[in-house]
Amino acid sequence: MGSPHNLKKRQPTDVAKEDLAIRFVNTVAWRLRQATEERLPTSAALLDWLDENGVRISNDAAELTRGRGGHFQGAQTAYASAIALRETIYALLVAQIRNVSPVADHVQAFNRFLHHRPAALLEWRAGKFGWNGSHPNELDFCTPIAISAAELMTGPRAGRVKQCADDRGCGWLFIDESRAQNRRWCSMGDCGNRAKASRHYARIRETRTGN
């Protein structure tokens, strides 16, 4: 079965507009299926994603993982921390969406990332702001991602975070910026169009059955 979550196809119109924390959480596809799809299977893939999304751990990202030619001993620690942060953010945001109390351990885990506060600094480059670690630390990248997530949990858009209602189990999160606050899908060009097409064909079948 083909996956609707083709990042190259969706990046220009949907994925790139979402908050950093949402983009990070959505590096797992098919969240509501028993078998999810991991989009960051290695530390090298993580570093590529950080580069593409304006988060850098050092001026030379290749120093941070053997897979990219470096010798940074904490590469696997950084990767494990990234996955743990991602899943913690997902759990907290879903609890918020469902209006249920989050698991206390998830809150504590997230607060540890916030409390770490490594030397991640704001930097102007290539005509825009981005995050950069002043020293190569395996947790430097956690700060901007955790800050982005905290803003979504506590800021004015907290009630706008939603989960895709696609019936195949998409499960991606998104910010509903629609005026009516009735957006249901992560992407109208993907899951939304499929749902509309399914309804259209269902109406046709009902009409033919009725005749």
Side-chain angles (χ1 to χ4, degrees), residues 148-211:
S148 173
E151 289 176 345
L152 290 178
M153 296 174 199
T154 63
R157 296 185 300 158
R160 293 177 177 261
V161 182
K162 296 183 179 180
Q163 189 163 31
C164 184
D166 176 70
D167 59 11
R168 294 167 298 173
C170 167
W172 271 6
L173 304 186
F174 62 90
I175 309 298
D176 185 358
E177 301 286 8
S178 67
R179 182 175 300 179
Q181 286 290 282
N182 60 354
R183 180 177 161 191
R184 299 184 58 202
W185 301 283
C186 60
S187 169
M188 281 305 301
D190 193 339
C191 291
N193 275 346
R194 179 192 171 278
K196 289 168 62 178
S198 295
R199 291 198 302 269
H200 174 71
Y201 291 129
R203 286 194 297 268
I204 292 176
R205 286 194 297 270
E206 290 174 2
T207 301
R208 289 175 177 173
T209 301
N211 290 335

